[in-house]
Amino acid sequence: MSSYDLIVVGAGIIGASCAHEASVAGLRVAIVEPGPIGGGATACSMGHLVAMDDDPAELALARYSLRRWETYAGLAAAEFSRCGTLWVARNDSELASIAPRIARLSASGGTAHAVDAQTLYQLEPTLAPGLAGGMLVADEAVVYPPRVAQHLVQCAQQRGARLYAGRFVRRLGRASASLDDGSLLSGPLLLATGGALPRLLPQLPMRPRKGHLLITERYPGVLRHQVLELGYADSAHGTADSSVAFNVQPRPTGQILIGSSREFDVEDRAVSPAMLQRMLRRAFQFLPVLQQLQGLRAWTGLRPATPDGRPYLGAVADHPDLWVAAGHEGLGVTTALGSARLLIDLLLGHTPAIDPAPYAPTRALA
């Protein structure tokens, strides 16, 4: 039996961040990952570092995490690109929602400003005509999440963490985990397995939320900012069985990443031509130039969604030495670093920088 101060199960962006923070704190860490580092939902994501202001708890975690992301602005492996986020309004009604959003972002420590229609088209000349204006959050960025996860795991290993690559947890014990090869690991457990959490911890509800993305060939200069419709949150936080929203991203390579779609309880990872077409039609309405570009590849991923949309971060009631960090839906990359710091602070008995109560797993068991 091998003993550790913390056994991190899962090495996506959340698990990798937690392992890194634990190693920085001087803990003896084991990392158990059956597949490639950052190869699950992390590899399928857009990597947009964005503060969503619809839920105060979500905003607090995002802002806390975005400050920590600044550490990686100069890391080549992160492919950090400060393209900014441009939210576009179709009409006066959506335009009227901008001032309250700016106020919420400002109160949380963020900076955003409204842009009129003329400025909107100066920022992104290829947008569809007739849009009313928008909101620019200039300091937001994009990263390449799998590389960041790999970097964080490597940093943890340099501090002595042991990676159990290609292994999965067959059974949880009391402060122990049995692996598929018969190995037994002893120590507090942190489950960072995303949508696979119910396999080990079925009492915490989690639903898969399938999403499609498509990436184009290289077209440098076509797009400058990550551009989303102001109604994006209606899709991201809605309860409809399926939805699409306009969300496009310029990659540092010159390629354009096009999203986004959401489907509840669809675990088939195959690309759905009907859903892909629906998503692209939405994108073409806002950015007609996309119709002239050559698509290179489409893929899907499964976002881990909790019933209330907030992640589980903290100890599991009535399970000594069992912790969980999972259920971030579409904001796992943005909130990974903040989630990890918050959780390791809780584990060590330190007072976290933000209130942990909204993310406590106990809320799902009440």
Side-chain angles (χ1 to χ4, degrees):
M1 181 186 295
S2 300
S3 296
Y4 298 94
D5 298 322
L6 185 65
I7 303 162
V8 180
V9 184
I13 191 68
I14 302 296
S17 299
C18 290
H20 174 261
E21 284 288 350
S23 69
V24 169
L27 302 184
R28 291 174 296 122
V29 179
I31 307 166
V32 183
E33 172 53 60
I37 303 299
T42 298
C44 303
S45 65
M46 293 187 91
H48 186 197
L49 303 179
V50 57
M52 301 285 287
D53 60 285
D54 304 85
D55 174 23
E58 187 176 76
L59 177 57
L61 183 59
R63 288 300 313 159
Y64 176 49
S65 194
L66 287 170
R67 291 192 292 272
R68 302 184 70 81
W69 269 109
E70 290 299 320
T71 305
Y72 298 93
L75 178 67
E79 297 184 21
F80 190 102
S81 173
R82 202 181 298 279
C83 58
T85 303
L86 183 62
W87 298 86
V88 298
R90 293 172 296 175
N91 49 48
D92 290 343
S93 175
E94 290 186 351
L95 207 59
S97 72
I98 290 176
R101 295 193 66 173
I102 291 175
R104 289 193 292 269
L105 290 171
S106 177
S108 72
T111 303
H113 66 268
V115 297
D116 59 21
Q118 181 180 356
T119 306
L120 180 71
Y121 289 104
Q122 290 172 351
L123 293 170
E124 290 295 346
T126 58
L127 282 167
L131 296 170
M135 180 180 77
L136 178 65
V137 189
D139 62 348
E140 291 183 340
V142 299
V143 295
Y144 188 52
R147 293 266 180 85
V148 178
Q150 292 159 15
H151 170 78
L152 294 173
V153 168
Q154 288 168 2
C155 288
Q157 288 179 286
Q158 290 168 5
R159 297 188 190 93
R162 178 172 176 182
L163 173 61
Y164 288 82
R167 302 268 66 90
F168 67 86
V169 173
R170 186 180 298 278
R171 186 173 62 257
L172 297 179
R174 200 169 183 83
S176 67
S178 302
L179 306 189
D180 59 304
D181 64 351
S183 301
L184 183 62
L185 310 184
S186 173
L189 290 148
L190 168 58
L191 303 184
T193 52
L197 181 70
R199 185 182 72 82
L200 293 172
L201 207 60
Q203 59 265 50
L204 289 183
M206 186 87 73
R207 298 173 71 187
R209 207 171 187 192
K210 182 177 178 178
H212 285 71
L213 288 175
L214 181 143
I215 196 163
T216 71
E217 296 280 6
R218 296 172 189 243
Y219 299 97
V222 169
L223 194 69
R224 304 168 187 170
H225 305 80
Q226 176 108 14
V227 188
L228 301 88
E229 61 175 293
L230 273 164
Y232 174 82
D234 295 337
S235 171
H237 294 155
T239 57
D241 288 341
S242 67
S243 64
V244 296
F246 170 61
N247 186 359
V248 294
Q249 177 187 110
R251 295 299 306 157
T253 58
Q255 296 171 287
I256 296 175
L257 191 55
I258 305 172
S260 66
S261 73
R262 280 173 163 80
E263 296 174 271
F264 269 124
D265 302 323
V266 180
E267 298 190 50
D268 178 5
R269 289 290 303 275
V271 171
S272 163
M275 180 55 72
L276 186 63
Q277 185 179 56
R278 180 180 166 190
M279 182 185 80
L280 290 175
R281 280 200 303 265
R282 186 69 174 180
F284 297 161
Q285 291 174 10
F286 288 85
L287 204 64
V289 69
L290 294 175
Q291 298 175 81
Q292 305 170 25
L293 310 187
Q294 179 65 49
L296 181 64
R297 184 171 69 93
W299 65 92
T300 71
L302 298 177
R303 305 176 184 92
T306 64
D308 63 5
R310 296 174 181 172
Y312 299 129
L313 298 171
V316 179
D318 302 324
H319 289 71
D321 296 317
L322 182 58
W323 301 76
V324 63
H328 293 73
E329 216 271 8
L331 283 177
V333 177
T334 292
T335 59
L337 304 184
S339 294
R341 183 66 260 170
L342 183 148
L343 194 138
I344 299 304
D345 278 341
L346 289 172
L347 189 145
L348 295 175
H350 300 162
T351 301
I354 62 173
D355 181 9
Y359 326 104
T362 51
R363 73 187 191 275
L365 305 174

